[in-house]
Every structure is written in structure tokens, then in C-alpha cells.
């Protein structure tokens, strides 16, 4: 079905496209991008979303116990006072349904639904080199064209289940946590298996354990350092105080390395005794939330600090678990705290003191296959009525790689990213003109309170498009040299940290055959934001801007990249 061409403000188009821009995804990123490009710039924009409603993460992850780990006063948009005022601050941490309701409210308030096609997955996107636009195909057999293609497909939106033998044989209820049915699922008197003990697994396990199952078996591959959430209702005074200061709180969150409004209290624990470290960490443990991670500035860089903080948490885990052998299995010893996504718990560890809850260590007794009635491990068969796969995501690049994206000269994204993602600023790629990736790989994204970098990206893209319109450019594409410089800068930032010392979805090690490359920008949200603003200020340094596809790649030598530090640019040879 051909779409009707809407009124375009992008006047330089050689040929007509159906829309000025297509935005894929209707989560935090896609909704803001649609609003910003349509209502601020005046583009004709089409949103395409696989789900049958808005919400993204908070639409899909409706499993029991699903809750945000960022505090409610920062897990929100900051761009509109009106929207912020509607955001419920009743609890410290919003539940899944509350975030979803808020995003539904945003969609209605900004009248976004009329431009979003729901229940439609983008399957392919091809850059038409003749006319210089994108042609986007969907699973509803449509092809829609647009000058700009914006992905808001999310870093944790492509569920991953290991390829267990016999997975389809199971005759009971089974689901991945991010594909939870809309109907209520009852656990009472059921024999339930949960596979996976990451952030999601922990939330589900502590909820199922309290729902009177006959038996709950937790299949764990690697234990995690979970820290307390300590969710509670905020009293009126607290809520009033947050509301009175929310501008400053959000401003602060937008200017820290983490996207959270917290400062680190101490530079390092390197010279401290364990007693001194415990004295600093204990109040933070009692307070709950991600503030725990801001006690020491060098937690993610210094092995001595990381070991001391890890040891504190190991002790805390042991204190909560009665059975020593079970505690041994729940205590991580193979990695440092903070080197993978830190989970939060409400009463996770104490569930293992219940008769009906047991832990199966799959490193000792691997899963051989799923059967019609349960799970066969190397030592025995476990009978279940329900199997819940909390096995995570093909993170950061998964949703984008699932789309068959083809740029200039027939280059596919799959080929380009065969050795790991390459980009300029985590926002764009050489060979893929006019394609922007909101919180794409090599940007801070999942290392932070994600709505913050989402807003930074959407505002940067909006300004870039406005600049192009003002300057009469139709196409924008980073140079190969700029992309290479960004790759080097990225690796250098990651090498300063301990992230690479452990397997995690940051490195893609949870998905077989995925290149094991650290995929996020580890230099901090604040520094990253300064860089992309500086790039824009310098007339989009590192990008080639042109009025016609024929001129792309012909603008001669690209200037040096002054925005990245000297060591980075020096190591990119001029003929790259
Ligand atoms: C369980 C869970 C808990 C989380 N908790 C936190 C937290 O506490 N704090 C935090 O900062 N972040 C958290 N996150 C990360 C969270 O993903 C981000 O905070 C944020 O919601 C990302 O928004 P987004 O719009 O970029 O992506 P998403 O919310 O993932 O939305 C992407 C949308 O794109 C759609 N899509 C993808 N591919 C296609 C396609 N080919 N065609 C059409 N549509 C497509 C998807 O259906 C989805 O609706 C959590 C993630 C999960 C999974």
C-alpha cells in the first residue's frame, strides 16, 4: 500500500518520498523523536512499531515484579514541564505499569498515535542511491520511502533464548520474560522453573517465590551482585520537595557521567581498610538504589576499589542466606561488582531460605535439553508446569541487526558490523546516509539512566536536520576517517575500565557467534554530550553534508577531527 505524500518541509528533495522521516520504535526514543521532528521541525513523520501500543520496554516487559531500577524522579522526559507534572512520584521506583501509563499519556497528550503504525515490524531498509532516500519494508508487505531513517529500536528489545534442544517440546506454560502474556498468570500450586538470574530473573524469582508455587527452581549460570532497591511510597513532604527541585535534579542528571544526579563521595578505596570501606558503604546499602555505586569514583576502573566493594556485597549476600552451600553458589567470585548491569533486589536472597525454593547451578549441572514435562540436566530430570526464560537480550545491536539494512554501494549493516559495531558518535555510520541511531552502539546508552542519553540524541538529531534544511543540504554521512577515530576513542575509554574483565551483554558474550567487542561508550554521558555538541557547533565536524547524492564522497579531504583528543586523531592515518 502506497502512503499519501504529506506536506514536506524538506524542499530540496530530488524525488518525492512518502514521508520526510520514518521513526522505528515507539518507546522513550521513538516517541520523542516523532514529536520533535514533526512538531518542532515540521517534518512529515511516520512511526512504525512492532507492538500494538506505545511503551517499548515497558510494553513488552510486563512480567510479575517488573519495575524500574532508576528512581521515578529521573526516569522520565525532561523536555516538557506539563508532562513531568503528570508523572506520578508516589513511589521511589516506578512499576512497569506506571512507566507504561506515563508513555501512553505522553502519546495522547502530544497526539502521536495518529502518526504511528502499530503491529508492524520493519524488516528491511534500503538506501536508494539513485534518488538518495530510504525505502523501508515491513512485515505487512508495505514499502515506504523517506529522506531520513531514525531508529529508536532500543538496546534491550530483542529477546534472547539459548538454543536449548527440545525447546518446542515442552507442553506446559513457557515464555521469555519480555514476551509475557497480557493475561494474569497464576503460580499457585505450580512447579515453576526460572532460567536466568540477571536483573529480570531476580525480579521474577522474588515475586514467584511469594505466589505460593508448589516448587520454584532457579537455574543459575552466573551469580550477580544484587544490591537493595528499598522501594517505598514517598510521603507528601518528600514528593513536594522533589517537585520543587526537579528542574535542578534533572539538570544535574543530564550533566553527570551516569545520567543519575549523584556525585561520587570518595575518589578511591585503594588506600582504605575494609572497615573504613564498610563504614562508607553501610549507609548506602541501607538507603538502596544505584547511589550505592557512587561511593567511590574509581569503582569501575580500579581493581582494588572494585574488590573491596565486591567483598562488602559478598558478605551481605551471605548474611541473608541460611544454607551455606546455597550462599556459596549465590556469591559471585569470578568478576567485580559493576562490570555488568547491576541488578537490584527487594527480598531476593531470603527466598532461598524457603523450603519450596531451590537453586540449580547450571555450570555444575548443565541443561541438556527441554523435554515435554520439564528440564533435563546432566544429572537428572526436573518436572515443571511452567518454564520462564529470563535469559536476557541480544543487547545493543540485536534489534538493528534483525532489520536487513543496506546502505550505499550495496553495503549491508550485517557486513559492516561483522567484527562488531562501527559508528560515528553512536549516532550514524559511514555508508549509511541520513540514518540516525538513537542510543546506538558506541554511545553511553545502557551504561546510564537511559532517558537522559535518549533526550540528548533526539535533540542532536533534530538540530542536525534543522541545520540541513537551513543550509540546503539533503544528505548527511560521517566520513570513514571520523568513524575510525570514534572507534579508537571508544576503545581507549573502554580500556580504562574493568568492563572487559567479565562476560556480559555489554560485550555480546551472552549470544553465541556475536563479536565480543565492548559496545558502549564508557567515557560518561556528560563528556559524550559535550563531544556531540561540539561536533555540531563546528558545523558537524566529521560529517559530509551535501545537496545531492552525486556529490556524496566527492567533497575532497576531510578536515582533522579537533573534537576528539589528540591521541585519537593522531592514530588515524590520513589515507583512511
Ligand atoms: C526489564 C528492563 C528494565 C529496565 N530498567 C531500566 C532502568 O531501571 N533504568 C534505565 O535507565 N533503563 C532501564 N532499561 C532500559 C530501557 O530499555 C530504557 O530505559 C528505555 O526504555 C529504552 O527506550 P527506547 O525507546 O530506546 O527502546 P525500547 O523501549 O526498547 O523501545 C524500542 C521499540 O522499538 C520497537 N522495535 C524494535 N525493532 C523494531 C522493528 N524492526 N520494527 C518495528 N518496531 C521495532 C520495539 O518493539 C520497541 O517497542 C530496562 C530495560 C529492561 C528490558
Amino acid at each position: 500500500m502506497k502512503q499519501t505524500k504529506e506536506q514536506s518541509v524538506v524542499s530540496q528533495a530530488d524525488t518525492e518520498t512518502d514521508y520526510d522521516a520514518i521513526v522505528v520504535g515507539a518507546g522513550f526514543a521513538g516517541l520523542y523523536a516523532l514529536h520533535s521532528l514533526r512538531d518542532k521541525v515540521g517534518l512529515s513523520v511516520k512511526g512504525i512499531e512492532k507492538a500494538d501500543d506505545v511503551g517499548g520496554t515497558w510494553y513488552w516487559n510486563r512480567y510479575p515484579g517488573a519495575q524500574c531500577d532508576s528512581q521515578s524522579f529521573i526516569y522520565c522526559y525532561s523536555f516538557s514541564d506539563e508532562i513531568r507534572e503528570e508523572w506520578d512520584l508516589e513511589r521511589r521506583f516506578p512499576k512497569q505499569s506506571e512507566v507504561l501509563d506515563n508513555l501512553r499519556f505522553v502519546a495522547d497528550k502530544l497526539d502521536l498515535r495518529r502518526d504511528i503504525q502499530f503491529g508492524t515490524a520493519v524488516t528491511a531498509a534500503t538506501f536508494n542511491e539513485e534518488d538518495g532516500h530510504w525505502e523501508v519494508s515491513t512485515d505487512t508487505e508495505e514499502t515506504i520511502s523517506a529522506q531520513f531513517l531514525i531508529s529508536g529500536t532500543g538496546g534491550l528489545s530483542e529477546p534472547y533464548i539459548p538454543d536449548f534442544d527440545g525447546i518446542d517440546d515442552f507442553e506446559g506454560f513457557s515464555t521469555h520474560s519480555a514476551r509475557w502474556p497480557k493475561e494474569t498468570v497464576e503460580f499457585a500450586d505450580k512447579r515453576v522453573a526460572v532460567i536466568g538470574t540477571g536483573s529480570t530473573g531476580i525480579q521474577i524469582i522474588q515475586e514467584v517465590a511469594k505466589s505460593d508455587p508448589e516448587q520454584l527452581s532457579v537455574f543459575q549460570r552466573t551469580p550477580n551482585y544484587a544490591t537493595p532497591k528499598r522501594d517505598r511510597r514517598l510521603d507528601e513532604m518528600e514528593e513536594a520537595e522533589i517537585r520543587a527541585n526537579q528542574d535542578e535534579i534533572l539538570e544535574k542528571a543530564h550533566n553527570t557521567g551516569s545520567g543519575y544526579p549523584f556525585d561520587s563521595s570518595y575518589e578511591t578505596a585503594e588506600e582504605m581498610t575494609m572497615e573504613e570501606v564498610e563504614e562508607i558503604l553501610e549507609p548506602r546499602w541501607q538507603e538502596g538504589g544505584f547511589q550505592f555505586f557512587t561511593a567511590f569514583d574509581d569503582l569501575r576502573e580500579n581493581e582494588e576499589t572494585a574488590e573491596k566493594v565486591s567483598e562488602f556485597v559478598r558478605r551481605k549476600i551471605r548474611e541473608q542466606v541460611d544454607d551455606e552451600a546455597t550462599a556459596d553458589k549465590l556469591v559471585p567470585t569470578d568478576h567485580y561488582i559493576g562490570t555488568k548491569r547491576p541488578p537490584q533486589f527487594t527480598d531476593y536472597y531470603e527466598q532461598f531460605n524457603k523450603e519450596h525454593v531451590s537453586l540449580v547451578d547450571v555450570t555444575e549441572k548443565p541443561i541438556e535439553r527441554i523435554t515435554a514435562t520439564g528440564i533435563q540436566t546432566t544429572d537428572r530430570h526436573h518436572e515443571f508446569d511452567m518454564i520462564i526464560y529470563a535469559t536476557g537480550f541480544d543487547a545493543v545491536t540485536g534489534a538493528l541487526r534483525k532489520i536487513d539494512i543496506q546502505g550505499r554501494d550495496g553495503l549491508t549493516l550485517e557486513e559492516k558490523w561483522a567484527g562488531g559495531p562501527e559508528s560515528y558518535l553512536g549516532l550514524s555510520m559511514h555508508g549509511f546516509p541520513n540514518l540516525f541511531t538513537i542510543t546506538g552502539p558506541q554511545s553511553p546508552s545502557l551504561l546510564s539512566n537511559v532517558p537522559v542519553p535518549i533526550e540528548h540524541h533526539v535533540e542532536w538529531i533534530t538540530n542536525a536536520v534543522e541545520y540541513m534544511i537551513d543550509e540546503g543540504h539533503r544528505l548527511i554521512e560521517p566520513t570513514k576517517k571520523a568513524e575510525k577515530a570514534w572507534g579508537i576513542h571508544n576503545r581507549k575509554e573502554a580500556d580504562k575500565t574493568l568492563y572487559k574483565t567479565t562476560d556480559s551483554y555489554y560485550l555480546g558474550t551472552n549470544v553465541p557467534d556475536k563479536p565480543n567487542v565492548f559496545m558502549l561508550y564508557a567515557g560518561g554521558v556528560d563528556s559524550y554530550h559535550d563531544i556531540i555538541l561540539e561536533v555540531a557547533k563546528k558545523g558537524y565536524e566529521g560529517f559530509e553534508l551535501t545537496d545531492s547524492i552525486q556529490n556524496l564522497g566527492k567533497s575532497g579531504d576531510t578536515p582533522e577531527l579537533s573534537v576528539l583528543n589528540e591521541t585519537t586523531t593522531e592514530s588515524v592515518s590520513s589515507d583512511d
Side-chain angles (χ1 to χ4, degrees):
M1 189 184 80
K2 199 80 178 148
Q3 310 291 316
T4 318
K5 171 80 175 107
E6 306 224 335
Q7 191 68 38
S8 171
V9 296
V10 190
S11 53
Q12 299 85 6
D14 286 350
T15 56
E16 284 227 326
T17 52
D18 298 318
Y19 295 91
D20 294 326
I22 290 173
V23 173
V24 190
F28 262 100
L31 291 177
Y32 186 30
L34 169 52
H35 164 62
S36 189
L37 293 172
R38 186 191 70 182
D39 303 330
K40 187 160 181 268
V41 189
L43 301 192
S44 64
V45 187
K46 175 83 169 175
I48 302 180
E49 168 55 61
K50 207 188 294 188
D52 60 16
D53 199 358
V54 300
T57 291
W58 307 100
Y59 169 92
W60 294 109
N61 291 270
R62 55 180 97 90
Y63 56 80
Q67 190 171 16
C68 192
D69 289 337
S70 300
Q71 273 100 332
S72 49
F73 58 83
I74 42 163
Y75 197 75
C76 58
Y77 289 122
S78 71
F79 70 87
S80 155
D81 290 348
E82 257 180 303
I83 286 170
R84 240 170 44 201
E85 275 155 25
E86 280 298 319
W87 178 222
D88 198 349
L89 292 173
E90 262 181 39
R91 308 195 68 81
R92 274 188 96 193
F93 297 91
K95 292 185 185 294
Q96 168 267 337
S97 58
E98 292 165 348
V99 187
L100 181 59
D101 284 350
N102 182 251
L103 291 174
R104 284 180 173 147
F105 162 80
V106 170
D108 291 337
K109 174 97 191 157
L110 301 175
D111 195 15
L112 300 177
R113 287 177 199 276
R114 68 179 156 93
D115 288 316
I116 305 173
Q117 186 168 325
F118 292 105
T120 305
V122 169
T123 51
T126 306
F127 187 72
N128 177 326
E129 289 190 59
E130 209 139 282
D131 299 327
H133 66 239
W134 283 96
E135 283 164 11
V136 171
S137 309
T138 67
D139 63 353
T140 49
E141 309 296 321
E142 293 162 86
T143 301
I144 310 162
S145 61
Q147 187 178 343
F148 296 100
L149 177 59
I150 322 285
S151 87
T153 48
L156 295 178
S157 66
E158 190 55 40
Y160 171 71
I161 299 182
D163 191 15
F164 294 122
D165 275 347
I167 198 157
D168 296 327
D169 296 346
F170 185 62
E171 287 168 0
F173 167 90
S174 71
T175 184
H176 185 278
S177 51
R179 290 295 178 268
W180 201 265
K182 286 183 180 159
E183 304 75 45
T184 310
V185 175
E186 299 290 348
F187 302 104
D189 305 321
K190 298 282 194 314
R191 296 162 303 170
V192 186
V194 176
I195 304 179
T197 54
S199 302
T200 289
I202 286 175
Q203 290 186 343
I204 295 176
I205 290 158
Q206 61 196 12
E207 207 57 31
V208 174
K210 290 176 283 188
S211 305
D212 303 318
E214 182 186 315
Q215 171 207 335
L216 168 61
S217 301
V218 175
F219 288 75
Q220 173 187 274
R221 189 180 53 181
T222 33
N224 270 301
Y225 295 93
T227 57
K229 187 179 211 84
R230 307 216 194 273
D231 184 32
R232 58 177 169 78
R233 281 190 136 26
L234 296 177
D235 65 34
E236 276 179 29
M237 290 264 287
E238 286 172 307
E239 189 177 336
E241 199 185 326
I242 290 171
R243 288 217 185 272
N245 297 307
Q246 208 177 2
D247 277 345
E248 291 95 280
I249 295 171
L250 286 168
E251 167 80 20
K252 171 100 188 170
H254 279 250
N255 288 289
T256 61
S258 62
Y260 293 91
F262 314 127
D263 287 318
S264 298
S265 310
Y266 299 87
E267 264 180 35
T268 181
E270 198 173 319
E271 304 291 322
M272 291 184 186
T273 63
M274 203 51 210
E275 288 68 36
E276 287 167 329
V277 170
E278 292 194 359
E279 212 168 290
I280 289 164
L281 292 177
E282 184 60 32
R284 285 174 174 75
W285 183 267
Q286 295 309 328
E287 190 188 354
F290 281 146
Q291 289 95 309
F292 182 80
F293 291 86
T294 60
F296 303 105
D297 209 17
D298 65 350
L299 174 66
R300 291 185 174 86
E301 286 150 28
N302 183 330
E303 289 193 75
E304 288 195 38
T305 299
E307 174 53 26
K308 284 174 185 164
V309 178
S310 300
E311 188 48 32
F312 174 85
V313 178
R314 289 182 202 127
R315 178 171 68 73
K316 287 290 189 187
I317 296 171
R318 287 190 187 286
E319 281 172 11
Q320 297 172 76
V321 183
D322 296 342
D323 176 56
E324 217 173 296
T326 306
D328 280 345
K329 291 192 171 82
L330 287 167
V331 167
T333 49
D334 65 338
H335 68 281
Y336 296 120
I337 189 166
T339 52
K340 38 174 138 176
R341 202 315 191 152
Q344 291 179 3
F345 72 88
T346 301
D347 46 15
Y348 173 65
Y349 292 108
E350 63 196 69
Q351 304 310 321
F352 291 95
N353 300 331
K354 293 178 176 166
E355 275 292 298
H356 65 268
V357 181
S358 62
L359 187 66
V360 182
D361 182 344
V362 298
T363 53
E364 275 173 14
K365 295 159 191 162
I367 294 174
E368 279 188 336
R369 60 177 293 117
I370 309 294
T371 68
T373 55
I375 298 175
Q376 176 70 49
T377 52
T378 44
D379 63 327
R380 57 169 277 217
H381 186 260
H382 306 251
E383 298 273 323
F384 293 113
D385 304 304
M386 302 172 129
I387 301 177
I388 298 167
Y389 297 97
T391 43
F393 298 88
D394 182 349
V396 189
T397 53
L400 273 168
R401 282 172 58 228
K402 207 164 176 207
I403 304 172
D404 180 11
I405 300 179
Q406 188 174 314
R408 284 196 298 120
D409 300 328
L411 178 69
T412 65
L413 190 67
E414 201 54 38
E415 288 161 353
K416 186 172 176 79
W417 286 359
E422 290 175 6
S423 80
Y424 181 44
L425 309 174
L427 263 167
S428 61
M429 283 166 286
H430 179 69
F432 297 79
N434 288 8
L435 168 62
F436 293 114
T437 51
I438 305 171
T439 59
Q442 300 189 328
S443 77
S445 173
L446 297 170
L447 293 182
S448 69
N449 176 45
V450 188
V452 170
I454 285 177
E455 287 198 330
H456 291 169
H457 268 185
V458 170
E459 284 154 21
W460 191 93
I461 293 165
T462 304
N463 291 337
V465 169
E466 278 184 317
Y467 177 84
M468 289 173 72
I469 294 169
D470 290 348
E471 300 288 318
H473 298 304
R474 275 192 64 224
L475 295 155
I476 182 167
E477 185 189 310
T479 64
K480 206 172 175 182
K481 189 168 168 177
E483 189 173 85
K484 188 158 185 196
W486 186 248
I488 293 168
H489 180 64
N490 246 268
R491 279 193 292 283
K492 284 191 171 165
E493 290 302 322
D495 287 346
K496 291 180 197 162
T497 72
L498 300 170
Y499 284 122
K500 289 186 183 168
T501 62
T502 187
D503 289 345
S504 73
Y505 70 59
Y506 299 150
L507 282 155
T509 48
N510 61 323
V511 176
D513 301 331
K514 203 169 166 171
N516 295 161
V517 173
F518 189 73
M519 295 185 284
L520 300 166
Y521 180 70
V525 173
D526 46 358
S527 315
Y528 171 83
H529 194 212
D530 288 346
I531 292 172
I532 61 170
L533 290 181
E534 194 63 16
V535 163
K537 206 166 126 200
K538 296 201 160 138
Y540 295 90
E541 193 174 61
F543 285 96
E544 202 178 351
L545 289 130
T546 161
D547 59 343
S548 161
I549 181 73
Q550 282 73 31
N551 296 338
L552 205 57
K554 294 192 182 141
S555 63
D557 285 343
T558 48
E560 286 301 314
L561 276 178
S562 60
V563 292
L564 300 182
N565 63 42
E566 276 181 4
T567 46
T568 299
T569 45
E570 267 170 19
S571 45
V572 183
S573 74
S574 54
D575 54 1
D576 280 325

